């Protein structure tokens, strides 16, 4: 069964700094998708970024980028120029036939 | 474009009572998902529908949970009777394509408290 591990329950970063959130997963599949979702205190789960496993190029979305290491089964999220609005729970997710989520990392951006 | 809608946003019930949640997916999205998110954990898939058919309900506690998606649009999730451990946020999501092929978009969730 696919499992997703987020080893950092909580992290904090100063505003305008860069932070990296870690995620590892376990699978025997070759084709799959990986996601980072953000869940602010309001609870709405928002897509941050998506990566297809067959693509070698790392996905980027403005201040958000990933470091996808397929052989290592690692999928970290880098947030550059952190903003107060980035404060939220961040979930890493693996999708093949269904979606599996990690336990989340609570990120706090400090002014 | 309107997002995934859910109601109610909050519900408090006594154990052994029944409760129902409603979800309206993004227009045109074929696949609908229900997740249970217990406090401090990531969401766990309960059931997924493609159009009005069940694709996967292997993690749905069928002795007390039921779900339907009539006409392939709206969906309801019911718990009867509720237990204390059912206290959680119930999230609905939808995707344009089939399961495992497309990005899922989430609704705001329903927070259930069972006393």
């Amino acid at each position: 069964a696919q499992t997703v591990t987020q080893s950092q329950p909580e992290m904090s970063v100063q505003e305008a700094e860069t932070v990296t959130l870690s995620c590892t997963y376990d699978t025997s599949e070759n084709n799959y998708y990986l996601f980072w979702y953000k869940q602010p205190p309001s609870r709405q789960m928002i897509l941050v970024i998506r990566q297809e496993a067959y693509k070698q190029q790392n996905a980027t979305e403005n201040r958000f980028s990933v470091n996808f290491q397929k052989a290592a089964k690692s999928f970290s999220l880098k947030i550059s120029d952190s903003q107060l609005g980035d404060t939220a729970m961040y979930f890493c997710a693996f999708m093949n036939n269904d979606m599996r989520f990690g336990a989340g990392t609570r990120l706090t951006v400090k002014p | 474009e309107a997002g995934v809608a859910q109601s109610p946003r909050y519900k408090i019930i006594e154990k052994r009572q029944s409760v129902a949640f409603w979800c309206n997916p993004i227009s045109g999205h074929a696949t609908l998902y229900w997740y249970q998110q217990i406090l401090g954990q990531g969401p766990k898939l309960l059931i997924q529908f493609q159009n009005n058919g069940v694709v996967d309900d292997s993690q749905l506690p069928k002795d007390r949970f039921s779900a339907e998606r009539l006409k392939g649009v709206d969906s309801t999730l019911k718990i009867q009777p509720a237990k204390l451990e059912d206290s959680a946020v119930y999230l609905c999501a939808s995707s344009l394509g089939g399961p495992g092929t497309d990005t899922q978009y989430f609704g705001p969730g329903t927070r259930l408290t069972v006393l």
Side-chain angles (χ1 to χ4, degrees):
Chain A
Q2 291 88 357
T3 58
V4 180
T5 302
Q6 293 181 250
S7 59
Q8 305 150 315
E10 294 191 26
M11 294 191 72
S12 64
V13 63
Q14 291 296 131
E15 195 175 7
E17 297 292 307
T18 295
V19 65
T20 299
L21 280 56
S22 301
C23 174
T24 58
Y25 58 94
D26 184 31
T27 184
S28 57
E29 301 291 337
N30 190 48
N31 296 315
Y32 49 87
Y33 299 85
L34 295 162
F35 301 86
W36 279 98
Y37 282 91
K38 167 185 176 181
Q39 190 175 41
S42 65
R43 207 168 64 238
Q44 182 100 33
M45 193 85 77
I46 302 165
L47 176 68
V48 174
I49 201 164
R50 159 186 162 136
Q51 175 79 44
E52 290 88 345
Y54 65 86
K55 290 187 178 179
Q56 291 186 336
Q57 186 172 6
N58 290 322
T60 63
E61 285 290 343
N62 301 312
R63 299 182 295 108
F64 300 87
S65 61
V66 298
N67 182 5
F68 172 47
Q69 301 289 329
K70 191 172 183 180
K73 296 178 184 175
S74 171
F75 184 62
S76 61
L77 175 69
K78 185 172 83 172
I79 306 174
S80 303
D81 185 26
S82 297
Q83 301 176 359
L84 296 178
D86 295 334
T87 292
M89 283 290 291
Y90 285 81
F91 291 97
C92 177
F94 169 99
M95 184 173 77
N96 183 242
N97 292 318
D98 60 14
M99 184 96 86
R100 304 293 175 106
F101 288 84
T105 296
R106 182 178 303 279
L107 176 68
T108 302
V109 180
K110 298 179 178 179
Chain B
E1 179 181 83
V4 177
Q6 289 187 249
S7 67
R9 292 295 306 274
Y10 305 89
K11 190 74 177 179
I12 300 174
I13 60 172
E14 301 279 337
K15 61 182 178 182
R16 291 188 290 274
Q17 286 187 323
S18 63
V19 64
F21 313 126
W22 174 82
C23 173
N24 182 244
I26 294 172
S27 179
H29 278 199
T31 308
L32 185 147
Y33 312 81
W34 282 103
Y35 289 87
Q36 180 191 59
Q37 186 178 20
I38 293 173
L39 187 65
Q41 299 181 16
K44 184 187 85 171
L45 179 69
L46 292 174
I47 188 169
Q48 52 186 10
F49 295 91
Q50 185 165 9
N51 298 311
N52 61 351
V54 175
V55 175
D56 182 4
D57 63 357
S58 59
Q59 304 219 58
L60 188 74
K62 298 182 189 63
D63 58 333
R64 299 184 300 106
F65 286 65
S66 64
E68 60 182 9
R69 189 184 185 197
L70 298 176
K71 300 181 181 178
V73 182
D74 293 5
S75 177
T76 55
L77 176 69
K78 297 179 182 178
I79 308 175
Q80 181 180 5
K83 292 185 175 181
L84 296 178
E85 58 261 36
D86 298 332
S87 292
V89 175
Y90 290 84
L91 297 169
C92 179
S94 70
S95 65
L96 184 63
T101 66
D102 211 350
T103 298
Q104 296 181 24
Y105 297 92
F106 286 80
T110 297
R111 181 181 294 279
L112 173 67
T113 302
V114 182
L115 302 176

